[in-house]
């Protein structure tokens, strides 16, 4: 009997703990990513100088580059800077913007990329996707996933609380994305990957059901590991399907229609997931999602993101155009403008009732 298996690309290292950044040189050497320490390190303008001080007596052969902005032009500029010398790998140290730019540059140069996260705003930590601004608004680019992922919980604890909370919205939205994928599989025969679904669902449930908050180191570790697994689920599937459905279409629509008013990505997809659950009529999933967002102090209504009901209606109507060919509850419902307005009013009323019921539980503001 033949032994059947498949090979799954996964990071050589996933290191989530306090003080992990200080041992980056050892990680690079031990895993043969760079035994010489000749690497290009990309950092953001805010935390870059602070991070660089960590390596005052280590990685002395590394060259440092500042990433200022998350545009495709910024990524190409980084490519031009790095290709002037020979490096074993590229290390991105920062938030989602720095990591996305670095992943794109590494892909262009054919170099392995090491992701070192300084916040947990979204699942780009370990994903094969770079989201960058371009002349048309914002685009997603397929890239190789990081060869190693390092999350220093000491750095995460210093990140703006709002950015960390954003990661909660990002990971919880996986469950809505999976529901879209499973529905497309059942109704239209779209191919689905059970392993990718398991990774995305498990990572979301670990955060959804965790009793802690962002001031809790154990919770932060669970969130970080969940975001890494979410990224790997996309590698396994070969698509963003495990973590991107109607929730992300709504977020993309906000980015394109209201670029000057967009919030954190995880805030937008968390709200999008709650709205998608309402459209599906799944009261249990809707309630669980809204309660989680409330407990962690995340936006739960369009007004929380600064949008009127009419503006959010335009966003919902436009959302399916952001991912042509992808089938989600938004495409299946095919709502008319009047039906969208009715759905938004009902959604807002249901959320308001849950907020009133939760008045005795103050959301965290760590």
């Amino acid at each position: 009997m033949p032994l059947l298996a498949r090979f799954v690309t996964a990071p050589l290292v996933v290191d989530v703990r306090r003080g992990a950044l200080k041992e980056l040189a050892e990680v690079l050497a031990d895993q043969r990513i760079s035994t010489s320490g000749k690497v290009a390190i990309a950092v953001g303008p805010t935390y870059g100088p602070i991070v660089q001080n960590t390596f005052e007596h280590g990685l002395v052969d590394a060259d440092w580059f500042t990433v200022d902005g998350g545009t495709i032009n910024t990524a190409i500029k980084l490519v031009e800077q790095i290709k002037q010398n020979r490096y074993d790998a590229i290390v991105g140290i920062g938030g989602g913007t720095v990591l996305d730019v670095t992943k794109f540059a590494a892909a262009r140069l054919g170099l392995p990329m090491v992701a070192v996260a300084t916040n947990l705003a979204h699942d780009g930590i370990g994903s094969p996707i770079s989201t960058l601004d371009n002349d048309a608004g914002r685009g997603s680019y397929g890239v190789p996933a990081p060869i190693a992922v390092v999350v220093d919980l000491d750095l995460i604890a210093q990140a703006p609380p709002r950015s960390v909370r954003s990661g909660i919205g990002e990971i919880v939205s996986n469950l809505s994305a999976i529901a879209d994928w499973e529905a497309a599989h059942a109704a239209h025969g779209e191919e689905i990957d059970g392993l990718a679904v398991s990774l995305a669902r498990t990572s979301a449930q670990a955060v959804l059901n965790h009793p802690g908050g962002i001031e809790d180191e154990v919770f932060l570790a669970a969130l970080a590991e969940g975001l890494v697994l979410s990224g790997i689920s996309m590698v396994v599937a070969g698509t963003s399907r495990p973590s991107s459905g109607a929730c992300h279409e709504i977020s993309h629509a906000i980015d394109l229609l209201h670029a000057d008013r967009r919030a954190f990505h995880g805030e937008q997809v968390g709200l999008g997931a709650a709205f998608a659950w309402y459209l599906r009529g799944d009261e249990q999933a809707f309630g669980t999602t809204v309660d989680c967002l409330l407990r962690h102090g995340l936006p739960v209504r369009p007004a929380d993101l600064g949008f009127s009901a009419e503006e959010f209606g335009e966003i919902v109507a436009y959302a399916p155009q952001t991912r042509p060919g992808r089938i989600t509850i938004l495409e299946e419902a095919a709502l008319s403008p009047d039906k969208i307005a009715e759905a938004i009013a009902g959604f807002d009323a249901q959320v308001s009732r849950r907020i009133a019921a939760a008045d005795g539980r103050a959301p965290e503001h760590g």
Side-chain angles (χ1 to χ4, degrees), residues 6-11 103 123 126-129 143-146 193 195-196 199 228-243:
R6 62 171 168 171
F7 293 98
V8 176
T9 303
K103 282 191 288 184
D123 60 9
S127 78
I129 296 171
V143 296
D193 190 301
L195 177 57
L199 289 169
V228 172
L229 283 178
S230 183
I232 294 173
S233 76
M234 290 184 259
V235 176
V236 170
T239 171
S240 62
R241 252 315 199 175
S243 63

Side-chain angles (χ1 to χ4, degrees), residues 23-340:
E23 298 180 21
L24 178 60
E26 288 80 357
V27 169
L28 296 175
D30 291 347
Q31 298 300 322
R32 303 292 193 271
I33 297 171
S34 176
T35 55
S36 68
K38 187 62 177 176
V39 294
I41 302 179
V43 294
T46 302
Y47 290 100
I50 299 172
V51 170
Q52 192 166 356
N53 288 338
T54 304
F55 300 103
E56 185 178 359
H57 303 295
L59 288 176
V60 293
D61 291 323
D63 291 325
W64 295 76
F65 302 87
T66 299
V67 172
D68 192 2
T71 68
I72 188 72
N73 290 335
T74 302
I76 292 172
K77 178 182 176 182
L78 182 62
V79 169
E80 295 300 318
Q81 291 175 318
I82 290 176
K83 75 178 186 180
Q84 297 178 28
N85 291 295
R86 301 180 69 87
Y87 298 101
D88 299 327
I90 303 177
V91 179
I93 305 177
T97 297
V98 172
L99 298 186
D100 281 346
V101 168
T102 308
K103 282 191 288 184
F104 184 93
R108 279 290 189 95
L109 294 167
L111 291 173
M113 185 270 182
V114 177
V116 181
T118 59
N119 71 40
L120 301 177
H122 66 72
D123 60 9
I125 300 171
S127 78
I129 296 171
S130 285
T131 302
L132 300 171
D133 292 332
N134 54 40
D135 291 340
R138 174 168 286 188
S140 297
Y141 303 87
V143 296
I147 196 171
V149 178
V150 176
V151 181
D152 189 324
L153 296 181
D154 287 329
L155 281 179
I156 300 303
Q158 298 174 40
R162 184 183 172 194
S163 71
V164 180
R165 290 194 191 96
S166 175
I168 300 170
E170 177 81 83
I171 198 74
V172 168
S173 76
N174 281 6
L175 298 176
S176 177
I178 292 168
D180 280 327
W181 199 10
E182 290 177 333
H185 171 70
H188 304 282
E190 181 177 336
E191 186 176 353
I192 195 168
D193 190 301
L195 177 57
V197 167
S198 296
L199 289 169
R201 177 178 283 131
T202 300
S203 60
Q205 289 176 335
V207 173
L208 187 70
N209 298 320
H210 199 291
I214 64 169
E215 294 181 337
D216 177 358
E217 184 178 315
V218 176
F219 176 82
L220 288 179
L223 177 58
E225 290 166 354
L227 291 170
V228 172
L229 283 178
S230 183
I232 294 173
S233 76
M234 290 184 259
V235 176
V236 170
T239 171
S240 62
R241 252 315 199 175
S243 63
S244 177
C247 48
H248 279 62
E249 289 182 338
I250 289 172
S251 179
H252 294 325
I254 292 173
D255 292 341
L256 292 170
L257 296 177
H258 301 283
D260 59 333
R261 296 166 60 189
R262 62 194 183 201
F264 280 103
H265 179 70
E267 294 177 330
Q268 296 178 172
V269 299
L271 172 59
F275 184 71
W277 284 123
Y278 177 81
L279 289 180
R280 295 187 193 98
D282 190 325
E283 294 183 8
Q284 180 176 352
F286 167 78
T288 302
T289 301
V290 170
D291 289 348
C292 177
L293 297 178
L294 284 174
R295 186 169 69 83
H296 291 288
L298 283 157
V300 286
R301 294 172 294 190
D304 296 337
L305 290 178
F307 296 113
S308 67
E310 291 74 19
E311 288 173 326
F312 193 64
E314 294 170 356
I315 289 165
V316 171
Y318 185 81
Q321 299 179 48
T322 66
R323 294 304 303 265
R326 177 156 292 185
I327 299 171
T328 76
I329 185 60
L330 295 178
E331 287 78 10
E332 293 288 72
L335 299 174
S336 66
D338 287 343
K339 288 293 185 182
I340 290 175

